[in-house]
Amino acid sequence: MEIKNLKFETNIYTTTIKLSKKFLSLFEDMHLEEREENKNNFYKKQFEDTIKEQDICDYISPAITKIVKNNFKLDSWWVQKYAQGDSHMLHTHGAAPNLKSFVLYLKCSKDSSKIVFYQPGFPLLDEQKPHYVTPHKGLLIVFPSYIPHQVLRNKDNERLILSGNIYHG
């Protein structure tokens, strides 16, 4: 009897983007609402936020196009600022075909909390160890939107991220 081991792998891509002062200035003074876990504009965008979409696309396009090996459309985006003790609970961004998510670290320090990725099916299926990613300024992470992930308790006051979802291919 032949037994085959079919290993399931999920790819998470990382690269570093050089952040310009002009690009950073789009997000540094944004109005972010106080939420239970962090400050963000996920639920309430203002007019000034929506006019940034083309700037975001133009800036992240070279890296994301190279990762997904195709053109993409920005589906949604938001900014999150973490103070000391802030976190983000375990969640996914959906399971639509050709939907990927991204996180771009605009500001962070060596004390910024890690993002933790789990295999699909977690926490019901817990056979694989989680993958921890340590942030640094300019780090771009692109991953399938169905991947469960969370942000651990933050230890600094500098963590500012741009996050979103894209459709590709």
Side-chain angles (χ1 to χ4, degrees):
M1 169 190 323
E2 181 183 358
I3 297 174
K4 293 182 179 181
N5 181 5
L6 304 176
K7 187 174 181 176
F8 178 80
E9 252 181 44
T10 304
N11 293 323
I12 297 172
Y13 302 92
T14 64
T15 190
T16 300
I17 296 175
K18 184 174 175 151
L19 300 175
S20 72
K21 288 181 182 180
K22 181 181 176 187
F23 186 71
L24 285 173
S25 71
L26 296 173
F27 309 103
E28 292 177 323
D29 296 324
M30 284 185 71
H31 172 74
L32 302 176
E33 291 197 349
E34 192 81 40
R35 309 298 299 177
E36 189 175 322
E37 296 180 309
N38 54 56
K39 289 182 181 178
N40 65 63
N41 69 336
F42 183 81
Y43 296 102
K44 186 175 182 183
K45 293 218 172 135
Q46 298 182 0
F47 174 74
E48 299 84 37
D49 297 346
T50 59
I51 62 174
K52 295 178 171 111
E53 286 192 22
Q54 192 58 52
D55 293 314
I56 292 169
C57 273
D58 291 346
Y59 210 84
I60 63 175
S61 185
I64 290 185
T65 301
K66 200 170 189 175
I67 290 168
V68 300
K69 297 177 177 66
N70 213 320
N71 292 329
F72 70 92
K73 177 183 172 276
L74 185 61
D75 178 60
S76 57
W77 65 272
W78 55 94
V79 173
Q80 292 178 318
K81 182 173 178 60
Y82 293 75
Q84 281 189 344
D86 285 354
S87 63
H88 199 143
M89 67 183 168
L90 183 67
H91 65 286
T92 65
H93 293 203
N98 298 327
L99 182 65
K100 291 217 178 349
S101 298
F102 69 89
V103 177
L104 176 60
Y105 291 89
L106 303 171
K107 287 185 171 182
C108 58
S109 76
K110 63 178 179 52
D111 294 325
S112 289
S113 54
K114 295 179 180 183
I115 187 169
V116 185
F117 292 96
Y118 301 90
Q119 286 293 330
F122 182 87
L124 301 174
L125 305 173
D126 190 14
E127 298 174 9
Q128 302 289 324
K129 291 183 178 178
H131 187 76
Y132 296 82
V133 178
T134 302
H136 63 269
K137 187 176 177 180
L139 176 66
L140 174 69
I141 304 171
V142 179
F143 56 97
S145 297
Y146 58 79
I147 299 298
H149 57 286
Q150 71 180 35
V151 176
L152 302 175
R153 292 259 172 245
N154 193 43
K155 296 176 184 166
D156 76 0
N157 283 314
E158 294 184 39
R159 184 185 170 98
L160 182 67
I161 65 152
L162 168 65
S163 193
N165 298 318
I166 61 160
Y167 281 101
H168 63 92

